[in-house]
């Protein structure tokens, strides 16, 4: 199964409702793929965001992804977050640092319930 990678920066500029609809669709396609393919796609999308997105765009996309991810079953969420962390760890350090900083900024805008679900799934 192959996926046409969307322009992730364009998605990050959409209004919240459109961004959520588009990312939900991308998530459902991604979850059907083998882990190796998911990993490559995640790395490409993260690199693209790191190269082209403003901090605000990056945070908006993180918020949307956290919202979508928090609705996944715990085992799916945990597997997805582990893959995402692996993808980030395979990027250059400046991308890793920026992703961690902006992801935490986005995560801190959510309720404790969602923050705890995400943090527990990363363990």
């Amino acid at each position: 199964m192959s996926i046409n990678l969307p322009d992730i920066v364009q998605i990050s500029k959409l209004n919240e409702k459109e961004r959520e609809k588009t990312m939900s669709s991308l998530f459902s396609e991604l979850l059907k793929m083998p882990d190796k393919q998911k990993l490559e796609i995640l790395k490409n999308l993260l690199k693209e965001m790191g190269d082209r997105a403003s901090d605000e765009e990056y945070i908006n996309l993180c918020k949307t992804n956290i919202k979508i991810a928090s609705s996944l079953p715990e085992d799916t969420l945990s597997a997805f977050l582990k893959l995402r962390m692996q993808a980030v760890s395979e990027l250059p350090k400046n991308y890793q640092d920026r992703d961690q900083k902006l992801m935490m900024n986005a995560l801190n805008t959510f309720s404790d319930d969602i923050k705890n679900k995400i943090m527990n799934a990363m363990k």
Side-chain angles (χ1 to χ4, degrees):
M1 177 184 283
S2 151
I3 187 171
N4 287 332
L5 283 184
D7 184 335
I8 197 70
V9 178
Q10 284 305 114
I11 293 171
S12 74
K13 294 177 182 181
L14 295 172
N15 70 50
E16 188 176 348
K17 229 181 197 61
E18 283 300 308
R19 192 170 56 242
E20 192 171 329
K21 181 180 167 197
T22 304
M23 288 309 297
S24 288
S25 173
L26 181 60
F27 255 79
S28 64
E29 288 302 308
L30 205 53
L31 291 173
K32 297 174 191 169
M33 295 177 186
D35 283 355
K36 187 176 180 184
Q37 194 175 5
K38 281 184 220 167
L39 183 63
E40 281 309 305
I41 289 171
L42 285 171
K43 279 188 349 194
N44 288 334
L45 293 175
L46 288 162
K47 187 167 183 331
E48 191 70 16
M49 287 299 290
D51 285 342
R52 297 182 38 227
S54 70
D55 284 359
E56 182 182 356
E57 291 162 351
Y58 204 114
I59 289 170
N60 283 341
L61 195 67
C62 287
K63 285 180 183 177
T64 300
N65 291 340
I66 290 167
K67 184 176 180 183
I68 295 166
S70 70
S71 68
L72 295 172
E74 213 159 300
D75 56 338
T76 305
L77 174 61
S78 186
F80 178 78
L81 289 175
K82 282 183 176 68
L83 261 178
R84 187 188 187 286
M85 289 187 295
Q86 183 181 346
V88 171
S89 75
E90 293 179 12
L91 294 174
K93 181 148 176 37
N94 59 319
Y95 289 88
Q96 293 175 29
D97 293 346
R98 184 173 186 225
D99 181 75
Q100 183 177 9
K101 182 182 103 180
L102 298 178
M103 180 58 95
M104 288 311 295
N105 285 350
L107 191 57
N108 285 328
T109 67
F110 286 90
S111 69
D112 286 344
D113 287 352
I114 290 177
K115 279 195 276 196
N116 291 337
K117 181 174 183 179
I118 299 291
M119 296 307 281
N120 288 335
M122 282 197 253
K123 293 179 181 168

